[in-house]
Every structure is written in structure tokens, then in C-alpha cells.
Amino acid sequence: MSLWPQVERVLRRVEKPTRYINSELNSVHKTVTGEGVLVALAYPDVYEVGLPNMGLQILYELLNSREDVVAERTYAPWLDMEAVMREQSIPLFTLESHTALTDFDILGFTLQHELIYTNVLNMLDLAGLPVLAAERGDEHPLVIAGGPGTVNPEPMTPFIDVFVVGEAEELIFELVDAVKELKRAHAGREEVLRRLARIPGVYIPTLYSVEYNDDGTVAKIEAAPDAPSSIIRRIVKDFSAIPVPQRPIVPFMDAVHDRCSVEVMRGCARGCRFCQAGIIYRPVRERTQEQVVSGITQILETTGYEEISLSSLSSADYSAVEGTLKELSERYDGQNVSLSLPSLRVDAFSLGLVKEIAKVKKTGLTFAPEAGTQRMRDFINKNVTEKDVLNTVTLAFQEGWQRIKLYFMIGLPTETEEDLQGIVELSQKVVEAGLATLSGAAKSRLTVTVSASAFAPKPHTPFQWVAQDTLEEFEAKQGYLAARLKGRHLSLKWHNAKSSVVEGAIARGDRRVGDAIYRAWFLGCKFDAWTKEFNYESWRQAFADTGLEGSFYAGRERGFDEVLPWSHIETGVDAEFLKEEFYRATRGEKTGDCRFDGCSDCGVCPNLDAENIIF
Amino acid sequence: MAKLLLHYGKDGPLKYLSHLELIRAFERSFRRAGIEVEASGGFNPRPKISYGPALPVGTSSRSEYLVAEVKSTLCDDDIIERISRVLPKGLGVFRAKYIAEKQSSIASVIECVAYKVEVKTLASAGELSSLVEILRNEERLLIKHKGKEKWVDSKESILDWNIEEAGGGRHVFLMLLAAGERNSVRPEVLIDKLNQSYPHVQDIEVVGIERVAEYVNRDIPLIDIYDFYKNVTIGSECEKS
Ligand code: SF4
């Protein structure tokens, strides 16, 4: 039943009503007759943030390509809409048919980062569903979660029935088929979960029990007799065998990304030791240039987009990047189509690429040296020297760029004052390079923005054992930088260290952290990724109220022999490799990129029966 | 290069699009339709499309117009066909024609607008018409809109206001209201005025507003804006795709 009449009545009372309407181009409005499966895909943030999410767009198109499946979308209503929905008792609905989420068979969330977890709870509640999985029954939709957050699903286990770990392009059909069959057989919830646990990559938390030691660490994680002892991440072995999604939804409102974006490859093998994405999407699998170009051509036809973006973790590393950009710029010459590369390396090659595509518009350039000293860059395996940085920015200034953004992290393991001073000095040298290169009015327009984010160690990385800095340490370091990064051409930006500390505690949390998330939501936390909405005091109270210490999860160094709460989730990368990488870091040894420098034995290829695929 | 006048409408959920959102939807629809639009110069080239006055969010319309400077020389029917095929549901094109190069903008020539307003109220049709009569017989009306105030001449502003009963406490107002520079007024403002001026009568709740027609004059016979723009033939003959 459509809730549109009720929704429409309140739309005049809210900001940006376009968030709640439908009929965007390429959205699918259909019904199934007979035995079908109804799926609601949920992004736990507001529409303009959630809509561009590539993973959900892929699933949406795949699911709707089947006649027996209807997939619709839902997003977190903004605060004003939530208030009127609660006042008027309007349950959370999907956009396409404005149907209540309770009418669906599957409700699937994507867990993109820790600071949207409370929104998941809030959306379940707005839908009129019990927030706790244990309180839901046969009449409720199956609540599923996917996305990078699933590599440590533990903190969300109280709320989610089924986690899918890894890439879902193939898994999703196995799951839908199973659900369809079980629905026909009127299977009860427990039976459904037991059956789904047989699908590789599926994690059913209720089939695993966790025991703790007296010191609060995990003693063991035990699987039920018929459940696998560990869950192995699913991947699509040959990414180029998967067609480029052709009909992305074109939003009416201004979304955070509103352009034709094509994934040119999956995975990144550069091996930065702080980076979770660099581990959990391995190995590198490319698409062919032909596939990328024809995919883009199709998308432009179905969307009318005016901007093209080649997306991946590190697009300048895509082996056909030059040829692809060249072909695209020739093809769309004179048609007011712009090209962009979302991720750049600090080198002349990358700069050459942007130079080609930014023929007229020279907006800012962003580079990520990540750390201020060579020692620290070696420690994190960021293969960039000060000379690289200075050469590249000088070239950029010569080409006419005047705004440079430098991206650093503070709170990396072993950091000392010297490393902070390194950030200051490198930034100043970039300013000097700008002043030396630019002339006249351009010189006065020179701006170097330094962004210093507070590092949060993540599961499945070589730094998963280290202690995160405390809030006080972060704030002292920010103060240090603020006092020194001053001057006419310099500006310093940082993310709230308070949210990094909360993020850090959840990221490496165990099941009990779910209690704190529940409590935080109960205390009113939502939209935690929105600086204005983030409420640190409530989070502190939430941990305290549930008898947990945030610092136990964020600020504690773990022993290599500790059972990590996510140890039953296998990304394919061996724990031994992560340990070895940590040792290499402490010895200042670099590890090469396995695409060019030989295999570094991370384990992914043999464990997942896959390989790097480069064309 | 040719100037193309397009008569379109907006309804259903899409009436909640803001003016900027509508503009982007049209720009992308032209691209999808394969109709090339001229672009402005500069660092940030924009398609040369000009629109009529912005429709308030939540108002539907079957009387919207835009003028696009197109490179194409497709026939009118073809243009309608191509655009209709690619527009999102809720936007529809009714008519299209090529018009002469130098003409005044849509926004500058509109003098009055016809609206269809559906309201819900416990007041009877008789009560409503006497209220409307009182309002129309006032000499001047103080109009408050978005924090601003202005006086308008009542008879010049409200050119016509018919009431039809629709049953179930619903009524349809057919209003012809001045637009443009002098004495312009919007339907929702007048209904607010009824509610504020006569607090003793039942509240009148707006259910929906639709813009029905736009004219370039205020007297009988009214001249529809589409007819006001004279069509031209482009080149020797238009192309059939
Ligand atoms: S197993 Fe070797 S080749 Fe494969 S991703 Fe790991 S390091 Fe690279």
C-alpha cells in the first residue's frame, strides 16, 4: 500500500522535499505477481549522501533485472522529516512505491563506515521494526548488511540478522534464490538463517558464540555445528566479466557525487599499511579499456550526465588510464563533458593526466603524502619522497594551479614531535615552491590547505594491534600544528578528533560494543558523521552506561596472540602477512606493489583462488 | 543555431522539484534526447536555456515554457517525440516551435496567470463566495510574502475568481491573477489572506495548486504566451530524424 498521500501531506513542512519523492530517471517502478522477493535497499544516511553509493546502485540494477524480484530504495530521513513522520505515525518507506519497509522480505543496509551505525538502528525503529534482531519474528523482513563494515561485523551483530562479507554481485542471487524458496516453504526465521549460513560469504551471528577472558579480551569464538568456522570474503574473480551497470539513477537534487562514475578496477596493491581498503578489496582486477569506454557511452546515453569519473581506489594506477582518458576526451570533444579522476598519486604521471583533462578549469589539486617525514612514510609504506611532492607541486604551479590541498594523518603509530614538525616543514616547502614558481596575481592567490585527520587503526590491517591516540593526544597534536601552520598562504583543516576516537572504538569493537551503539542511539545519537549532529558526550555516556570503556577498544595495544573479535572473518589476507608487515614497518622496510614488484605473499590469491588481473 | 520554444508541464511527485533541480533535469534530458544546446562561454559553460518564472515548490503546472538555443534543425514533432521519450515521469512536453531570434524573455512578457486551486474547508460554497467578494471589493490589499509586504490594487490583482464545489468539503478555485511588475499576487497568498482576515470562518486548507495558463495581457481576449511568440521556419526545411 502506498503511503504517498500521507507523505505528500507533510512534504510542505520539510526542507528539500525532493529527498522523499521518486521517479528519478532510471529508477525502477515495478511490481511482481505471484511468488517474488521484495528487497528494500537502505543507505543509512540522507538521500544526497546515499544515492551515489556504487554498491547499492549495482545491486539495485542486478536485482531489478530479475522478473521475480523488486528492489526499491530507502534513505535516512533528515531530522525535520523524521520529526513529522513520528508525529504523524508515518513508517519509514521506500521511494519507488512509498511502501512501508515492513512489507518487504529483505531489508539490506550498507555499512560504509562506523559513524552511520546509529542511523541503521534509527531506520529500523522508524520502520516500526524491533531494533534488536532477537526481538524480530517470522513476520518481519530479514535484515541484511553488506559493505566494508562487515569485515568486523561484531559491533552490529545485535541488530543484523545476516551479514554478507565481500562483493555481492554473485552472492546476491544465491541469497535471493534461497529466500524465495524458503518463503514458498513458509520456513521460520531460524530455519532461514541456518539455510543462508550455507552460502559462502554469509555470516549469521546467532550461530556463533563468543567467550571472554577476565581481562575483557575474547577467549574464543565458536561456530554452531552446522555453521562454517570462519567466513571467507566473497569476490568476483574476473571483474571484467561483470558488465558495467548501465542505468545508474540520476538524482534530481544535488547529490554528493552526481556524475557518470565507472569502476575501472577493484582493489589496490600499493600496500599502505594503515589502509583497510588496500587489504579488503585485493587482488587488483581491472576492466578493459574497451569495456570502460563502452560502459561510459551507454551511461551517458541513459543519464545525460555531463561529467565522467573513472573510479577506483587509485585510478591513476589503472593500466589503461592514459588511453582511456585520451579516447574519452576525443570522443566527447566539444560536447561539454568533463572528465575527472577522483584519486591521484603524488607524481608527474598523475599530474600529466589531470593536466590533460582539466583543459580550462584549474580547480584545486589534492595530494596525499599522508605523513611528514620519510621515516614515517616508510613506516606506513607510502612510497613517496619529499622530492616527489615538491617536484609534483612545482609542476602543478607551472601549469597554473594555485590551490593545493595536502592530506596528512596524525596519530600514526610511533609518531613523535619530529613527524609533526615534518608536516609543518613539508607544507611550508610547498608554499615556498608556489611562491617561487607563481608570479604576479597568481602568487597572491596561492593557497595550500593542509588537512590533518586523526588516524583510527582498522581491523585486517598491519596496524590492527596498535593503540589509537587518546583524545588528549590528538588535541595536543592539533594544537601543535595549529600554532605552526600559520601564514598568508596556509590553512589548516582537521576532522573532529572526538569522532575519530568513537570511530576507532567501534571499528575494533567486539559484540559488547553493540550495547554501546544501542545506548548511544537511545540517547539520541544519529547522523554521527555530520559534525553538527555528532554528540561526543552522549557517546561517552553510552559507553559508561553499558559498563564499557571506549579506550579498551580504541586506545589499547593488543598482543599478537590475542583473539581478535573479527578473527573468524577471513579477507583472504593471512594474519601472518599482517604481522610481518607490522615488523617490516618497525624496521623501516618497504613492501613493493605486487603488480610490478612480485608477489609479497599476502595470501589473497591462493586463499581466494584468484589473481591480479591487469590488461 | 535556432531558438526553440517548448511548452511543458510538471505534475505528480515532481512538483516538489525546485527550480534548479528542474533546470538540471531538462539539461540532462536534452542531452539524452541528442538535441544539442548551445553553451555559454567562459570557464564554466552553461547550456543556453531560459525559463519562465520559477514555479513554487509543490505547485504543479501545465503551463510552463522554456526557450532553448539549439543546434538542431529537427522538426517540431520530432523534438517533442525525442524529448518526451527521455523525460522523467512527471515532466511532459505539449508543444514546441522555433521562434524568431530577438524576442523578449518569457518572464518579462507574462502579465497574468490562471490557476486551479483545490481547497478543503468546512465552510460552504456560499460562505466562500461571499468572502471572496469582500476581498475583491476591497480597494487595496496588503500582501505579505516571505517576510516582505506590499500593497496591491485588489481589482487589478484579482482578475477573476470562480468557485466550483467538488464535494466532500472540497472546492476548486479557478483564479486569474496578475503577474509581472504591477499588482502581481500568488494564489497561496490570497488564501492565507482569507484565513487571516476572517478568523471566525472555517480554515481553508490548500490541497493542491496548478498553474493552468499564462497570458501576455490582462484583458479579454487574453493572448496565450505560446501564441504570442511567432514561429519561424528554420533553414529551407526541417529534418526528419
Ligand atoms: S597474493 Fe601476492 S599477488 Fe596476490 S594480492 Fe597478495 S601479494 Fe598480491
Side-chain angles (χ1 to χ4, degrees):
Chain A
M1 191 198 64
S2 171
L3 296 164
W4 175 246
Q6 287 100 298
V7 173
E8 179 163 22
R9 211 166 303 137
V10 301
L11 281 191
R12 279 171 217 278
R13 293 168 55 190
V14 300
E15 263 177 42
K16 305 190 182 173
T18 324
R19 283 168 174 161
Y20 315 105
I21 67 169
N22 53 24
S23 307
E24 305 107 305
L25 202 83
N26 294 337
S27 62
V28 180
H29 296 76
K30 71 171 188 187
T31 47
V32 278
T33 44
E35 286 168 346
V37 178
L38 305 181
V39 184
L41 298 172
Y43 192 100
D45 204 328
V46 76
Y47 176 89
E48 58 269 36
V49 174
L51 181 113
N53 179 262
M54 185 87 79
L56 284 188
Q57 292 242 17
I58 292 171
L59 290 183
Y60 183 79
E61 192 168 323
L62 279 175
L63 288 168
N64 280 320
S65 71
R66 272 178 61 149
E67 258 165 43
D68 57 348
V69 179
V70 173
E72 302 197 340
R73 295 159 299 135
T74 187
Y75 304 91
W78 188 244
L79 305 169
D80 57 349
M81 184 64 170
E82 178 181 341
V84 287
M85 284 168 66
R86 289 195 187 272
E87 174 203 300
Q88 302 285 322
S89 308
I90 301 173
L92 187 57
F93 49 86
T94 52
L95 294 188
E96 282 80 355
S97 62
H98 289 96
T99 303
L101 298 188
T102 40
D103 290 350
F104 285 78
D105 299 309
I106 295 174
L107 169 55
F109 286 96
T110 179
L111 305 178
Q112 289 295 312
H113 55 82
E114 295 76 7
L115 297 179
I116 49 176
Y117 288 2
T118 53
N119 278 10
V120 173
L121 278 61
N122 202 42
M123 287 173 79
L124 290 169
D125 186 58
L126 273 170
L129 290 168
V131 169
L132 295 169
E135 290 172 9
R136 292 194 291 265
D138 294 351
E139 69 280 23
H140 296 126
L142 206 57
V143 178
I144 296 187
T150 61
V151 299
N152 178 16
E154 294 308 286
M156 287 300 278
T157 50
F159 320 107
I160 303 290
D161 304 312
V162 180
F163 290 89
V164 296
V165 182
E167 295 166 10
E169 275 109 333
E170 292 164 354
L171 182 154
I172 191 72
F173 288 133
E174 297 161 32
L175 189 115
V176 161
D177 285 337
V179 168
K180 187 176 170 188
E181 192 188 303
L182 290 156
K183 191 179 162 187
R184 193 181 307 147
H186 301 287
R189 184 161 277 256
E190 205 157 312
E191 191 189 335
V192 170
L193 296 178
R194 278 185 187 277
R195 165 68 187 82
L196 295 181
R198 301 213 292 263
I199 301 174
V202 164
Y203 173 51
I204 307 292
T206 47
L207 300 182
Y208 296 76
S209 60
V210 182
E211 283 170 32
Y212 299 93
N213 296 314
D214 291 342
D215 63 3
T217 56
V218 173
K220 63 175 178 191
I221 303 169
E222 200 158 19
D226 46 353
S229 58
S230 64
I231 292 83
I232 300 167
R233 176 174 63 104
R234 284 289 289 267
I235 60 161
V236 174
K237 287 177 192 170
D238 182 0
F239 182 49
S240 69
I242 301 255
V244 175
Q246 291 180 2
R247 310 185 71 85
I249 296 170
V250 185
F252 292 114
M253 73 182 298
D254 225 347
V256 290
H257 300 297
D258 191 4
R259 59 191 180 204
C260 160
S261 188
V262 169
E263 243 184 317
V264 295
M265 61 175 179
R266 287 223 171 126
C268 171
R270 297 220 144 229
C272 297
R273 293 178 179 127
F274 57 86
C275 178
Q276 190 187 50
I279 296 289
I280 67 167
Y281 297 108
R282 283 181 185 217
V284 175
R285 291 146 295 151
E286 293 193 337
R287 278 203 161 114
T288 62
Q289 174 170 339
E290 193 195 342
Q291 204 182 12
V292 170
V293 174
S294 75
I296 288 172
T297 312
Q298 292 269 7
I299 295 176
L300 291 189
E301 271 167 29
T302 65
T303 62
Y305 271 139
E306 50 297 277
E307 186 185 341
I308 300 166
S309 166
L310 303 186
S311 87
S312 77
L313 293 168
S314 174
S315 296
D317 285 342
Y318 171 49
S319 40
V321 67
E322 264 184 302
T324 307
L325 289 176
K326 189 155 175 280
E327 190 176 343
L328 289 170
S329 62
E330 275 161 17
R331 181 174 294 219
Y332 295 106
D333 183 41
Q335 294 184 41
N336 291 315
V337 173
S338 65
L339 291 166
S340 69
L341 278 181
S343 51
L344 277 190
R345 303 186 313 233
V346 194
D347 59 22
F349 175 75
S350 296
L351 190 71
L353 295 175
V354 260
K355 198 180 100 189
E356 269 313 299
I357 59 182
K359 284 199 180 89
V360 257
K361 249 196 294 185
K362 293 238 161 78
T363 43
L365 276 182
T366 303
F367 295 110
E370 313 284 6
T373 55
Q374 197 56 48
R375 182 198 72 83
M376 186 57 99
R377 286 191 294 271
D378 291 346
F379 188 88
I380 62 176
N381 204 39
K382 181 85 194 182
N383 214 344
V384 169
T385 63
E386 181 175 297
K387 217 170 119 206
D388 294 333
V389 177
L390 295 178
N391 285 346
T392 313
V393 295
T394 305
L395 266 175
F397 292 130
Q398 281 163 0
E399 291 297 336
W401 272 281
Q402 298 151 10
R403 286 190 292 128
I404 301 281
K405 190 168 172 186
L406 298 174
Y407 200 88
F408 293 101
M409 277 182 292
I410 55 172
L412 287 165
T414 72
E415 184 176 58
T416 63
E417 190 177 324
E418 208 174 305
D419 299 304
L420 295 173
Q421 186 56 33
I423 293 176
V424 175
E425 280 166 20
L426 185 54
S427 308
Q428 282 164 347
K429 283 180 189 163
V430 170
V431 171
E432 280 157 26
L435 291 175
T437 317
L438 296 168
S439 55
K443 192 179 275 195
S444 67
R445 280 196 296 267
L446 168 71
T447 354
V448 177
T449 306
V450 179
S451 163
S453 66
F455 174 63
K458 292 286 166 94
H460 302 285
T461 65
F463 296 162
Q464 64 179 349
W465 295 278
V466 307
Q468 186 184 20
D469 271 5
T470 62
L471 181 59
E472 293 70 31
E473 284 165 333
F474 278 130
E475 287 178 344
K477 290 176 180 179
Q478 289 176 338
Y480 181 94
L481 293 180
R484 287 161 183 81
L485 280 168
K486 279 194 202 149
R488 183 152 124 68
H489 303 285
L490 266 176
S491 80
L492 175 64
K493 274 196 183 142
W494 58 59
H495 297 283
N496 187 350
K498 291 181 171 132
S499 57
S500 299
V501 175
V502 170
E503 181 193 332
I506 302 171
R508 290 187 292 166
D510 54 30
R511 283 193 179 193
R512 295 167 303 184
V513 169
D515 297 346
I517 296 172
Y518 186 85
R519 184 71 189 156
W521 166 71
F522 184 83
L523 293 172
C525 291
K526 55 194 162 199
F527 290 109
D528 296 310
W530 293 67
T531 315
K532 272 204 194 121
E533 304 308 323
F534 178 73
N535 187 333
Y536 184 63
E537 281 316 309
S538 297
W539 271 105
R540 271 178 66 135
Q541 193 187 332
F543 273 94
D545 289 354
T546 44
L548 299 169
E549 270 184 66
S551 60
F552 176 79
Y553 298 101
R556 182 175 61 89
E557 187 177 312
R558 282 99 170 140
F560 280 145
D561 52 356
E562 187 173 323
V563 178
L564 298 172
W566 51 90
S567 53
H568 54 316
I569 307 293
E570 285 187 21
T571 64
V573 173
D574 295 327
E576 280 313 312
F577 171 79
L578 298 178
K579 275 179 209 170
E580 180 56 28
E581 276 297 288
F582 181 80
Y583 286 129
R584 292 174 73 86
T586 53
R587 294 195 299 261
E589 286 171 20
K590 289 189 269 187
T591 300
D593 182 324
C594 64
R595 280 169 301 183
F596 322 114
D597 308 331
C599 175
S600 36
D601 285 323
C602 78
V604 158
C605 294
N607 290 337
L608 302 186
D609 184 24
E611 57 183 348
N612 286 335
I613 299 180
I614 318 281
F615 291 104
Chain B
M1 210 276 296
K3 267 192 172 176
L4 181 78
L5 175 69
L6 214 64
H7 172 195
Y8 69 94
K10 176 182 172 194
D11 70 1
L14 263 61
K15 63 175 177 267
Y16 293 97
L17 295 195
S18 71
H19 194 55
L20 275 174
E21 290 164 352
L22 174 96
I23 288 175
R24 197 164 41 226
F26 261 109
E27 289 174 358
R28 290 177 175 164
S29 298
F30 273 106
R31 280 179 177 278
R32 288 194 297 276
I35 301 171
E36 262 191 82
V37 180
E38 297 281 344
S40 65
F43 284 115
N44 214 346
R46 304 279 314 143
K48 286 189 174 170
I49 308 177
S50 62
Y51 296 80
L55 196 62
V57 170
T59 302
S60 57
S61 176
R62 53 180 126 120
S63 180
E64 296 301 298
Y65 301 88
L66 65 81
V67 174
E69 298 188 19
V70 293
K71 290 182 187 162
S72 113
T73 48
L74 292 165
C75 296
D76 323 350
D77 301 356
D78 257 8
I79 296 239
I80 297 180
E81 219 270 313
R82 279 180 174 225
I83 291 245
S84 304
R85 220 169 31 208
V86 299
L87 279 177
K89 187 169 151 268
L91 290 178
V93 169
F94 306 123
R95 298 181 284 181
K97 66 181 178 188
Y98 290 100
I99 59 168
E101 278 304 306
K102 285 226 172 338
Q103 300 231 30
S104 333
S105 75
I106 301 169
S108 70
V109 294
I110 293 172
E111 282 292 313
C112 75
V113 179
Y115 294 97
K116 194 170 149 188
V117 181
E118 195 184 331
V119 299
K120 214 169 98 184
T121 176
L122 293 174
S124 69
E127 274 178 286
L128 285 177
S129 32
S130 49
L131 288 184
V132 167
E133 270 325 295
I134 303 174
L135 202 67
R136 293 185 66 178
N137 283 327
E138 298 217 7
E139 203 167 307
R140 341 184 271 161
L141 300 172
L142 179 63
I143 300 295
K144 291 181 192 162
H145 185 58
K146 288 187 178 159
K148 279 188 240 156
E149 289 191 354
K150 69 170 180 181
W151 286 98
V152 297
D153 180 315
S154 174
K155 291 209 166 45
E156 293 281 326
S157 283
I158 308 172
L159 303 169
D160 202 2
W161 189 330
N162 279 311
I163 303 170
E164 285 173 5
E165 210 165 336
R170 289 178 187 241
H171 302 266
V172 174
F173 294 161
L174 298 167
M175 307 165 87
L176 186 65
L177 304 176
E181 294 277 293
R182 297 163 298 113
N183 293 310
S184 69
V185 65
R186 298 241 280 241
E188 59 273 32
V189 177
L190 289 175
I191 289 156
D192 278 352
K193 189 119 194 109
L194 286 181
N195 280 329
Q196 289 153 12
S197 314
Y198 311 103
H200 57 284
V201 293
Q202 298 290 344
D203 245 14
I204 303 167
E205 189 198 328
V206 175
V207 180
I209 305 180
E210 185 186 22
R211 215 186 247 179
V212 184
E214 290 174 311
Y215 304 99
V216 297
N217 59 345
R218 294 180 182 175
D219 321 296
I220 308 296
L222 290 165
I223 302 166
D224 188 277
I225 183 161
Y226 190 79
D227 302 326
F228 167 78
Y229 288 104
K230 296 284 166 278
N231 52 322
V232 291
T233 30
I234 45 152
S236 50
E237 220 180 320
C238 65
E239 278 172 59
K240 279 272 170 215
S241 66

